[in-house]
Amino acid sequence: MVFMTGADNRPGAGKTAWILVLVIAVIVATGLGISAMRTRALSFDGGLNAQAAVNLLERGRYGTGHQEFQDFDHRLQTGPTVVLPAALSFWLFGVDNDTAQFANLVYFVLFFIVAVLFVNRHGGAASAFLAILLLAQTPELGPLGLGFYGEIPALVFFIGGLLVVDKLEADPPIRAAYGAGLLLGLSILTKIVMLIPVFSVLLVVFFASITRRPIRLRHWTGMAAGLAAPIAVFEAVKLLVLGPAIWVEWWAVMVRRIAGQGLPLGMADTPGVLPKATSHLGILSEMIGVPAWSVLLLVIAPTFLFLLLWRHERVAKASRSLPVSVVALWLAASSYLAWWLLLTPTSRAWPRRVFNGLLLQELLVSIVLFWAIRRLLDSRQGLRFGTRPVGLRLIAGAALAGLLLLNVSALLVLNLPQIEWRTEPYIKRRAIETVAAIMRTRATDAVFYGKGWYRAPVLALLSGRELKDFNEFPVSRYGEDLKHTYFVVDNHFRRFKPKEFREIIKSTENSLVVHKGDCSLYRLERVLPYPQMPTPDGSGDLSARYVPREQDYPYVGGLGRIAPNGRFAKSVSGFLLERGGHDCLEIELWVASNAGRRLDFEVRVDGRQLVFDKLVPGQTWKQTVILGEDADPGSPGSLVELWLHGRTPRARFSLWSLDKDRYVVREVGFVDCSDTQGRR
């Protein structure tokens, strides 16, 4: 492996030129950042991350209150390097959309600064200016750069580490290596996915340290120690707070999450390497806005040119070879893109996960493009690739021309500028802020509910209200008159769970308080056990028995998905049946083995309790019950209700329970006691 010092490779660029480029970078970054911050609300994940900053201030605890408070919640999408500055911003200026994103704005500007410094060091002022243009037109730069995400802050530390790695080639004291490792460690602490590019840097520096270079093995050791330092401090705090047993369990869960989301282990995926790569290229093509072949060029051409330049330096026996930090950047960008294209499950191959890899690739393009142009225009040397220089030179020229064409088209057509002149993001932000403001005006003892995972974390953050989970609404309060009780809907719940949204509206007596954009606030007067059934037109519409095969029978409620030999039932289910002259009720259920250690179960007919029993998980429950009283002659039918009450320590069953597949209804119906052995 041949390396060179970056300082010697730097073209002679005037100091004035690169200072001017740096000023342009600050202006562009500030304009783009403020535009995105002022026109957009926090993202969904950003709302969760911001909750950790608020809880740190108000409770002295690092975690979210989303679906029960958890210290060091796995659902946090970024690390303390973003959460702690945000907490300071909240403490100084209060909690709103702007203060939540202020720390990200600072990181955003710093990212452009360190990127320009790095590219200018290795490619010159013109190369750095190209980097500004490429970065500015990156798709989703504003939303993902701000929004309380950790991607850009992680890159600030990573590129800062590369800048210090350059210094290692001058054989500095070990503290420089420690500083480089410290910055790389902070990058991982910010986003754990940065393990991929950081490992690339360590690998390159290690190989450099064992060759005849100024970089020594002690530099690599110092880097490793610096990298471990911030992670060790954070883990020590976590260990003290959680305790050893929970800390071990926390990491077991984290390892499973990393493996599940970063590797094709049990996730929905595209079979085969080539079909998967093609599918992911299509996703990236849609993100960038160019044909898939152009995206493939962006992925492959920089690496091709980089390797040709590397070989050229070796064949030419130049006194200068490729800088260690640029080799590390190339390996980091290539590894990141390869991971996303070839390993990431397709169900997790969303654009945000390739965002950092795309930014690193753009920095590599800015450097390699100008290197290749200078080599091709060098009349004394040109590009010499050994025995067949002409063919390889043509290939290199084609790759270079393709990259130039791609980048020029991107600059002219795609996303430049990214300043948010559109009104849609601002309208969404105003809608969220309006609903949050109304939530703040409700009574101090008001109770707010969201639904499961989609519990409007941004509205909860901006309103200062805790949103309980409607999945856990107590069964005992069904039908009860409610006071100061509200249900909150944001754009994510309305978009991703429209069926559940409609079901909740139908199953509650409610009034709309405010609807703005895709956000709504409903006041709940009463929660019904299940959606109201239609009223039968005549007695002939009703059946005396219900079996799950009768999927078109409309007079049932509170049933879930189809199960083997039946249908799963929610905590309360109802069946409107024709009683006629029948004097017994027959019920057959099957209880899931994971239903809990103890389930209290009752049967009501027309509001009168006939059975109160315990269900045994993993077993069938079947009874025939004597009714004892005649049916109301004025009623179109009799309402049979099955009520399930959980008594396990952490099980809270309700109509809307996320874990609702507890038992299967196989049959419910009225029969003649003379045909069965009735018993109370």
Side-chain angles (χ1 to χ4, degrees), residues 380-592:
R380 292 171 300 172
Q381 283 192 20
L383 276 174
R384 295 186 296 179
F385 302 108
T387 58
R388 289 190 290 268
V390 177
L392 286 174
R393 185 178 296 186
L394 289 175
I395 296 173
L400 181 59
L403 272 180
L404 284 171
L405 179 63
L406 176 64
N407 287 298
V408 169
S409 66
L411 295 175
L412 295 179
V413 179
L414 296 180
N415 301 294
L416 186 67
Q418 282 209 1
I419 296 178
E420 298 289 354
W421 300 115
R422 299 188 304 274
T423 58
E424 182 182 355
Y426 183 72
I427 291 174
K428 290 182 178 180
R429 171 180 168 134
R430 291 299 300 153
I432 290 173
E433 291 175 341
T434 299
V435 174
I438 293 175
M439 290 172 64
R440 287 196 297 268
T441 65
R442 302 298 95 176
T444 55
D445 61 343
V447 179
F448 294 85
Y449 284 95
K451 175 66 170 66
W453 172 249
Y454 295 100
R455 275 165 48 198
V458 178
L459 284 170
L461 174 80
L462 299 180
S463 66
R465 299 286 195 163
E466 179 186 359
L467 265 64
K468 297 181 180 295
D469 191 354
F470 199 65
N471 290 320
E472 300 175 0
F473 189 88
V475 175
S476 60
R477 299 192 64 191
Y478 287 164
E480 178 183 318
D481 292 333
L482 303 175
K483 294 182 179 180
H484 307 309
T485 304
Y486 300 88
F487 186 79
V488 181
V489 179
D490 70 351
N491 59 315
H492 292 89
F493 182 55
R494 195 184 296 271
R495 175 185 174 187
F496 294 112
K497 297 292 182 180
K499 182 178 179 181
E500 293 185 18
F501 169 65
R502 292 191 297 267
E503 189 178 35
I504 289 176
I505 297 302
K506 291 179 181 179
S507 301
T508 58
E509 294 179 5
N510 61 76
S511 57
L512 181 64
V513 177
V514 61
H515 174 73
K516 195 77 171 176
D518 290 330
C519 300
S520 304
L521 180 65
Y522 292 87
R523 176 170 179 150
L524 302 183
E525 276 84 29
R526 187 176 291 107
V527 177
L528 307 175
Y530 40 79
Q532 292 183 350
M533 302 176 192
T535 302
D537 296 331
S539 60
D541 295 340
L542 297 180
S543 170
R545 304 181 68 81
Y546 171 76
V547 292
R549 292 187 299 275
E550 300 169 359
Q551 295 297 318
D552 57 345
Y553 188 68
Y555 307 109
V556 296
L559 294 181
R561 63 185 179 89
I562 298 174
N565 301 318
R567 285 183 70 183
F568 284 107
K570 300 179 181 180
S571 293
V572 181
S573 54
F575 309 82
L576 188 61
L577 302 172
E578 173 62 48
R579 179 169 170 178
H582 301 302
D583 51 3
C584 277
L585 174 69
E586 189 171 75
I587 302 173
E588 182 176 356
L589 312 171
W590 176 84
V591 187

Side-chain angles (χ1 to χ4, degrees), residues 3-325:
F3 299 88
M4 71 170 282
T5 59
D8 292 335
N9 190 48
R10 175 185 164 186
K15 186 176 181 180
T16 303
W18 77 261
I19 290 179
L20 178 61
V21 171
L22 188 61
V23 171
I24 293 173
V26 172
I27 293 173
V28 170
T30 304
L32 291 175
I34 291 178
S35 170
M37 184 179 76
R38 293 294 297 160
T39 56
R40 290 180 175 271
L42 278 177
S43 62
F44 184 93
D45 292 330
L48 290 178
N49 296 333
Q51 285 184 11
V54 172
N55 287 324
L56 199 60
L57 282 178
E58 296 179 352
R59 305 186 187 186
R61 298 175 66 182
Y62 186 92
T64 74
H66 198 70
Q67 293 183 309
E68 294 188 354
F69 188 88
Q70 295 183 30
D71 290 303
F72 302 96
D73 196 338
H74 290 95
R75 289 165 292 208
L76 290 175
Q77 298 287 309
T78 189
T81 52
V82 181
V83 172
L84 293 178
L88 177 61
S89 177
F90 290 157
W91 181 65
L92 292 174
F93 308 113
V95 179
D96 60 30
N97 268 310
D98 292 337
T99 57
Q101 300 180 83
F102 183 73
N104 277 84
L105 176 63
V106 174
Y107 277 119
F108 193 80
V109 176
L110 285 175
F111 168 67
F112 271 77
I113 291 174
V114 295
V116 164
L117 289 175
F118 182 79
V119 175
N120 177 75
R121 174 177 292 177
H122 298 291
S127 181
F129 183 71
L130 175 62
I132 295 173
L133 297 179
L134 293 180
L135 294 176
Q137 59 81 38
T138 304
E140 300 297 316
L141 179 67
L144 296 180
L146 281 295
F148 216 119
Y149 285 119
E151 275 73 8
I152 290 293
L155 282 184
V156 170
F157 293 115
F158 179 77
I159 299 173
L162 290 183
L163 285 169
V164 181
V165 166
D166 279 333
K167 304 295 184 183
L168 301 184
E169 299 187 83
D171 196 14
I174 196 171
R175 62 176 176 269
Y178 183 86
L182 184 66
L183 289 169
L184 296 177
L186 290 171
S187 176
I188 295 173
L189 196 59
T190 306
K191 289 292 293 185
I192 200 163
V193 72
M194 294 302 291
L195 281 167
I196 298 171
V198 167
F199 178 77
S200 301
V201 176
L202 291 177
L203 191 63
V204 170
V205 173
F206 175 76
F207 275 104
S209 69
I210 60 177
T211 59
R212 297 179 181 178
R213 298 284 308 150
I215 297 180
R216 308 298 182 192
L217 192 57
R218 60 185 175 88
H219 292 132
W220 186 87
T221 305
M223 277 188 63
L227 186 150
I231 300 173
V233 170
F234 189 66
E235 289 304 314
V237 174
K238 188 188 301 179
L239 179 62
L240 289 173
V241 173
L242 299 179
I246 299 179
W247 182 81
V248 171
E249 181 183 349
W250 188 96
W251 268 108
V253 173
M254 177 57 75
V255 169
R256 289 196 297 270
R257 287 170 65 93
I258 293 173
Q261 295 195 27
L263 297 172
L265 301 175
M267 309 297 293
D269 200 10
T270 303
V273 175
L274 186 58
K276 181 173 182 174
T278 304
S279 172
H280 292 192
L281 276 175
I283 296 172
L284 194 55
S285 169
E286 185 178 347
M287 173 186 175
I288 299 177
V290 297
W293 66 266
S294 301
V295 178
L296 187 62
L297 180 66
L298 177 64
V299 172
I300 294 178
T303 292
F304 179 74
L305 284 177
F306 178 85
L307 294 177
L308 287 180
L309 287 163
W310 194 347
R311 179 173 176 79
H312 163 69
E313 297 291 352
R314 297 187 65 179
V315 172
K317 297 182 179 179
S319 59
R320 305 185 305 267
S321 185
L322 302 184
V324 172
S325 58

